[in-house]
């Protein structure tokens, strides 16, 4: 009976509902066009997990387009981009190709995703900083504080991973930004908490 209820719940969950996301492998979550799964260096914990220690950075992020990139996969424009890209997935929000830039950790096995983590939370903290499970563990240890366990995102990360010209995105009509203008929009601090 319990199993039946669980299955019924999963089947009736509305599209996009994130029930038990951390217990399901990417393919079981309905993500299509997957390549080989990754073995991340740590567990993904999700943006909410950063808030107790980096609230200002979180609030800043929430106001940026990075917090909405996976919502865009549900738009009419997404269908146009998908057609130009020639994806094989049934919809852009299910495509590992689209989620590879518009989501975070799409290729992470279930064991590397904490219950609070959502692939569709957009270009999340951990997309740039890497999975932070170990960082959070280290920062919760009693003082004296050791190293953060994180390394700086590489200088060219924005451009090598996502922000390069894409023929499929011509319909988007993105404005060209200089690095300074772009960074000013997403700049965040609070790394050196006393
Ligand atoms: C328990 C508190 C705590 C949590 C939770 C936490 N951090 Fe931190 N974080 C810190 C502290 C303290 C530092 C400063 C470390 C230092 O000065 O060496 C830091 C530093 C950082 C840095 C700078 C790293 C460096 O070495 O310069 C980044 C990036 C960062 N955190 C990202 C995150 C992200 C992303 C999350 C959520 C996934 C997160 N943190 C969750 C406490 C925390
Ligand atoms: C290589 C990374 C990358 C991939 C893969 C990617 N996107 Fe994007 N997408 C971006 C970036 C970066 C932007 C911001 C605008 C720009 O720079 O072109 C964007 C913007 C968009 C927008 C515009 C949102 C708006 O209203 O401004 C849509 C829609 C979109 N992408 C859909 C898709 C779809 C659908 C796919 C899969 C076929 C996809 N993207 C794959 C990086 C990517
Ligand atoms: C688009 C990529 C990106 C996203 C998303 C992002 N960051 Fe960062 N973050 C960076 C970069 C780049 C730096 C600067 C690293 C350096 O010092 O060169 C940085 C710096 C930091 C620092 C250290 C700041 C300092 O004063 O040393 C913290 C803490 C941090 N980020 C936390 C977060 C948290 C929390 C989130 C999510 C709410 C987040 N970041 C989202 C790219 C990103």
């Amino acid at each position: 009976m319990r199993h039946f209820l669980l299955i019924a719940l999963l089947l009736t969950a509305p599209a996009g509902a994130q029930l038990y996301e951390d217990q399901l492998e990417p393919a079981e979550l309905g993500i299509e066009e997957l390549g080989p799964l990754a073995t991340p260096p740590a567990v993904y914990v999700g943006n909410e997990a950063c808030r107790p220690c980096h609230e200002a950075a979180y609030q800043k992020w929430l106001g940026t387009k990075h917090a909405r990139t996976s919502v865009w996969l549900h738009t009419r424009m997404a269908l146009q981009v998908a057609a130009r890209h020639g994806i094989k997935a049934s919809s852009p929000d299910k495509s590992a190709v689209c989620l590879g830039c518009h989501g975070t950790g799409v290729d992470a096995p279930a064991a590397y995703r904490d219950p609070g983590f959502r692939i569709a939370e957009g270009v999340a903290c951990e997309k740039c900083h890497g999975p932070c499970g170990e960082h959070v563990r280290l920062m919760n240890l009693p003082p004296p504080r050791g190293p953060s366990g994180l390394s700086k995102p590489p200088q060219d990360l924005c451009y090598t991973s996502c922000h390069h010209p894409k023929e499929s995105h011509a319909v988007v009509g993105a404005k060209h930004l200089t690095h300074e203008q772009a960074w000013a929009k997403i700049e965040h601090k609070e790394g050196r908490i006393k």
Side-chain angles (χ1 to χ4, degrees):
M1 187 60 185
R2 272 187 85 181
H3 276 109
F4 171 76
L5 276 176
L6 190 71
I7 290 164
L9 213 65
L10 279 171
L11 289 176
T12 53
Q18 315 285 343
L19 217 48
Y20 312 119
E21 177 167 332
D22 63 304
Q23 292 172 34
L24 299 174
E25 295 303 337
E28 294 171 314
L29 287 166
I31 295 168
E32 301 164 45
E33 298 185 298
L34 277 161
L37 295 191
T39 306
V43 169
Y44 285 96
V45 293
N47 301 329
E48 279 295 323
C50 318
R51 291 186 69 176
C53 308
H54 303 296
E55 178 68 14
Y58 175 85
Q59 291 300 337
K60 177 73 189 254
W61 173 83
L62 208 55
T64 67
K65 286 188 176 181
H66 284 152
R68 289 177 282 281
T69 55
S70 48
V71 178
W72 296 342
L73 298 181
H74 296 270
T75 60
R76 190 182 295 266
M77 196 189 279
L79 294 174
Q80 292 173 28
V81 173
R84 293 173 76 105
H85 217 290
I87 58 161
K88 296 184 184 71
S90 48
S91 61
D93 63 302
K94 294 273 181 279
S95 163
V97 174
C98 307
L99 284 166
C101 284
H102 287 261
T104 299
V106 68
D107 56 358
Y112 289 90
R113 284 183 270 116
D114 262 5
F117 178 77
R118 298 286 175 267
I119 291 167
E121 234 180 332
V123 176
C125 314
E126 291 169 296
K127 182 143 195 105
C128 302
H129 293 296
C132 288
E134 183 61 7
H135 169 64
V136 173
R137 188 189 69 80
L138 290 171
M139 295 298 103
N140 272 313
L141 292 176
R145 195 192 293 138
S148 69
L150 297 176
S151 40
K152 278 188 177 197
Q155 277 275 314
D156 57 352
L157 175 73
C158 321
Y159 312 104
T160 52
S161 54
C162 299
H163 291 274
H164 46 74
K166 294 169 284 297
E167 204 280 324
S168 63
H169 283 59
V171 285
V172 171
K175 280 195 228 95
H176 176 76
L177 291 174
T178 65
H179 184 75
E180 270 117 68
Q181 289 169 320
W183 180 245
K185 286 181 185 239
I186 68 160
E187 184 178 11
H188 50 286
K189 294 199 175 72
E190 263 195 28
R192 304 276 172 256
I193 304 158
K194 296 294 167 306

